[in-house]
Amino acid sequence: MAEKGGKVAQLHIGDLCIELPILSGNEGPDVIDVSNLAAQGYFTYDPGFVSTAACDSNVTYIDGDKGILLHRGYPIEQLAEHSDYLELCYLLLNGDLPTADEKTRFVNTIKHHTMVHEQLSQFFKGFRRDAHPMAIMCGVTGALSAFYHDSLDIDNWDHRRITAHRLIAKMPTLAAMSYKYSQGEPFIYPRNDLDYAENFLHMMFATPCENYEVNPIIAKAMDRIFLLHADHEQNASTSTVRLAGSTGANPFACIAAGIAALWGPAHGGANEAVLNMLAEIGDEKNIGKYLKKAKDKNDPFRIMGFGHRVYKNYDPRAKVMQQTCREVLDELGVRDDPILQLAQKLEKIALEDEYFIEKKLYPNVDFYSGIILKAIGIPTEMFTVIFATGRTPGWITHWNEMISGPYKIGRPRQLYKGPSRRDYVPIEDR
Ligand code: CMC
């Protein structure tokens, strides 16, 4: 990060001229450094952080206008085609692709951390059987901090590394446990002879009475879903993890905060919301009515799985996901599923609609991931849990990046519009 040829922006307020340094990254727009503005008696105002860079980062770069997504410089399309989820986890955590030896060691390490403490399974019993699995995930992920007192020193690099490994390894186990609990079925232990995605499917669908034969096409699709969700720069949940982490909170608590932020339908909850919306639309003949609702400013309804804060072009993850979607539907022979057909019809009509074209609303990653997960047989309530599992390396990498460098507690300011000072009125005089 450099001051661009010593160039500065000038802010004129009456007779006052404030000089603000202009910083340049390796990619993307220049950034005006306003960090010293408070000393001059001013704050900046940017609800939703639409124009605000809250940190500098080396992890992921997005060009939303061109539809580019790079992890540590590598395009997502190349990673999806040639790499796999655990290799991407290594890349995110370490900054470079692993050698063959490094990869083998990393995969082994993750495999040997997949079990959770037996005592943790007791936590699940505190939840109702119909609890949303995201509610369970927020709770049990935060609870991990009660099990790993040996590695909670955030200033210790080894502690941070083992925590990252534990989180990546245990999230699929916790995710599958939250599903099994909702079904009233016994938890299925992880199997170290399976790869990451296969193991997740095994823990989801095997029972003590019956093994689950993992279909390689489904396992590949699952791996791809994890891979495509692994990181996405400073999105709402990652920023939540950073904000929580900036207080010095332990990493399990920070990731639990990220899971809570992800749950909302504007973020990771959208994949579940897509399927609920399709069920509500019900039939092709209703698409027009729902598009009309989506365009109505007085109606809160939106086409879920469409639009993105950063992408004003096709979400590059959605393109890969669309291809995986076709592979899975062909493999399972469910191209005729009415909900899936409705989704395809809705996509086509929305992409040709003037409103969606003008506002640059394209399908995002969540539009297709929900369709694939439904076809695989994963229940809708688990969709966001799977997103959370995939996003864990991104969250922990950003947390680690922040903790490794100089950082300040995140503390936004406000434009106060409430009453000015007034005196307390005794109750009998009101
Ligand atoms: N359907 C209909 N209209 C929409 C939609 C949509 N899905 N998304 C945005 N718009 C309209 C919106 O009404 C606004 O119109 P106007 O300018 O007339 O007020 C305009 O497009 C810009 O929308 P915005 O809400 O100001 O944009 P934002 O950047 O604040 O919101 C978003 C981005 C993703 C929250 C939003 O597009 C949305 O709610 N999409 C549906 C939910 C969804 O699919 N979320 C998943 C995002 S991708 C996965 C992830 O990162 O978690």
Side-chain angles (χ1 to χ4, degrees):
M1 201 169 57
E3 283 188 26
K4 200 180 184 185
K7 256 177 42 182
V8 291
Q10 290 189 333
L11 178 63
H12 295 272
I13 306 169
D15 292 339
L16 182 67
C17 172
I18 304 172
E19 299 213 321
L20 303 165
I22 297 179
L23 311 176
S24 295
N26 290 340
E27 303 276 356
D30 288 345
V31 169
I32 300 171
D33 179 353
V34 295
S35 55
N36 285 325
L37 210 49
Q40 311 276 347
Y42 290 95
F43 300 144
T44 53
Y45 181 66
D46 183 22
F49 305 113
V50 178
S51 305
T52 296
C55 62
D56 47 278
S57 178
N58 296 329
V59 183
T60 289
Y61 172 70
I62 302 174
D63 183 328
D65 293 327
K66 296 191 183 131
I68 291 172
L69 168 60
L70 310 176
H71 292 313
R72 303 284 193 187
Y74 296 103
I76 190 67
E77 297 84 351
Q78 290 184 22
L79 292 166
E81 191 178 345
H82 305 296
S83 186
D84 56 54
Y85 178 65
L86 281 188
E87 186 171 74
L88 177 54
C89 290
Y90 183 99
L91 174 67
L92 289 170
L93 293 176
N94 297 288
D96 277 310
L97 288 168
T99 62
D101 271 2
E102 285 167 339
K103 184 169 176 187
T104 307
R105 275 204 304 276
F106 181 71
V107 170
N108 271 331
T109 304
I110 298 300
K111 276 188 179 173
H112 287 89
H113 280 291
T114 47
M115 280 211 295
V116 294
H117 194 291
E118 199 58 25
Q119 198 68 22
L120 193 74
S121 60
Q122 304 296 322
F123 278 63
F124 286 80
K125 300 210 173 96
F127 289 95
R128 285 168 43 142
R129 290 277 174 188
D130 61 355
H132 195 288
M134 282 296 278
I136 299 181
M137 289 303 282
C138 292
V140 293
T141 307
L144 286 174
S145 50
F147 290 84
Y148 297 110
H149 297 142
D150 62 342
S151 57
L152 289 183
D153 178 1
I154 62 168
D155 297 321
N156 181 319
W157 186 85
D158 285 323
H159 285 204
R160 295 204 301 270
R161 186 182 51 170
I162 189 158
T163 297
H165 293 165
R166 279 178 173 148
L167 274 161
I168 292 169
K170 291 180 202 309
M171 286 297 275
T173 313
L174 295 175
M177 286 170 87
S178 70
Y179 170 62
K180 286 297 193 190
Y181 184 74
S182 74
Q183 298 299 296
E185 288 181 18
F187 300 137
I188 298 294
Y189 287 102
R191 265 179 47 190
N192 291 356
D193 59 321
L194 298 176
D195 75 21
Y196 195 87
E198 288 170 348
N199 190 35
F200 173 66
L201 291 166
H202 154 75
M203 291 187 288
M204 283 286 292
F205 296 123
T207 70
C209 342
E210 210 168 312
N211 206 0
Y212 174 74
E213 284 300 323
V214 184
N215 175 327
I217 295 196
I218 306 294
K220 187 174 156 220
M222 201 66 239
D223 190 83
R224 216 168 236 190
I225 288 176
F226 288 140
L227 180 143
L228 292 173
H229 286 98
D231 187 43
H232 213 228
E233 205 230 63
Q234 312 306 328
N235 55 83
S237 56
T238 303
S239 297
T240 301
V241 170
R242 279 186 180 259
L243 195 57
S246 77
T247 68
N250 77 68
F252 299 106
C254 297
I255 301 301
I259 295 174
L262 186 77
W263 195 356
H267 193 9
N271 50 17
E272 178 176 346
V274 169
L275 265 283
N276 293 338
M277 173 194 73
L278 292 172
E280 190 184 324
I281 296 176
D283 193 281
E284 265 181 42
K285 68 176 188 313
N286 298 327
I287 290 178
K289 183 176 122 198
Y290 280 89
L291 283 183
K292 207 167 154 209
K293 272 166 75 63
K295 295 178 205 172
D296 181 355
K297 274 200 172 308
N298 300 316
D299 190 326
F301 177 79
R302 286 186 168 195
I303 301 292
M304 300 315 285
F306 267 75
H308 198 275
R309 166 61 61 81
V310 183
Y311 293 120
K312 301 302 168 199
N313 198 324
Y314 232 94
D315 178 342
R317 301 167 302 169
K319 277 192 188 154
V320 180
M321 205 66 104
Q322 191 183 37
Q323 186 204 331
T324 307
C325 190
R326 291 212 181 98
E327 285 166 18
V328 170
L329 299 191
D330 283 345
E331 172 67 14
L332 297 176
V334 290
R335 282 236 169 176
D336 299 341
D337 182 297
I339 289 286
L340 306 178
Q341 286 193 338
L342 180 61
Q344 280 161 355
K345 193 85 193 168
L346 174 66
E347 180 200 356
K348 189 169 180 301
I349 295 175
L351 282 173
E352 288 164 359
D353 189 287
E354 201 43 52
Y355 172 93
F356 283 78
I357 295 169
E358 189 214 313
K359 295 197 185 300
K360 300 188 172 148
L361 300 170
Y362 292 86
N364 58 50
V365 68
D366 285 328
F367 192 74
Y368 299 104
S369 62
I371 298 173
I372 302 173
L373 292 171
K374 178 181 185 301
I376 294 177
I378 304 228
T380 322
E381 310 79 63
M382 282 298 290
F383 291 3
T384 314
V385 173
I386 285 167
F387 191 153
T389 304
R391 182 55 56 87
T392 298
W395 288 331
I396 198 77
T397 299
H398 282 275
W399 171 81
N400 203 10
E401 180 176 67
M402 182 186 68
I403 298 292
S404 310
Y407 65 97
K408 275 176 176 298
I409 183 170
R411 178 46 171 101
R413 305 306 292 258
Q414 63 171 6
L415 177 64
Y416 178 68
K417 290 186 164 176
S420 298
R421 187 196 180 283
R422 50 183 170 164
D423 288 326
Y424 181 80
V425 180
I427 198 159
E428 56 279 13
D429 297 341
R430 283 178 226 158

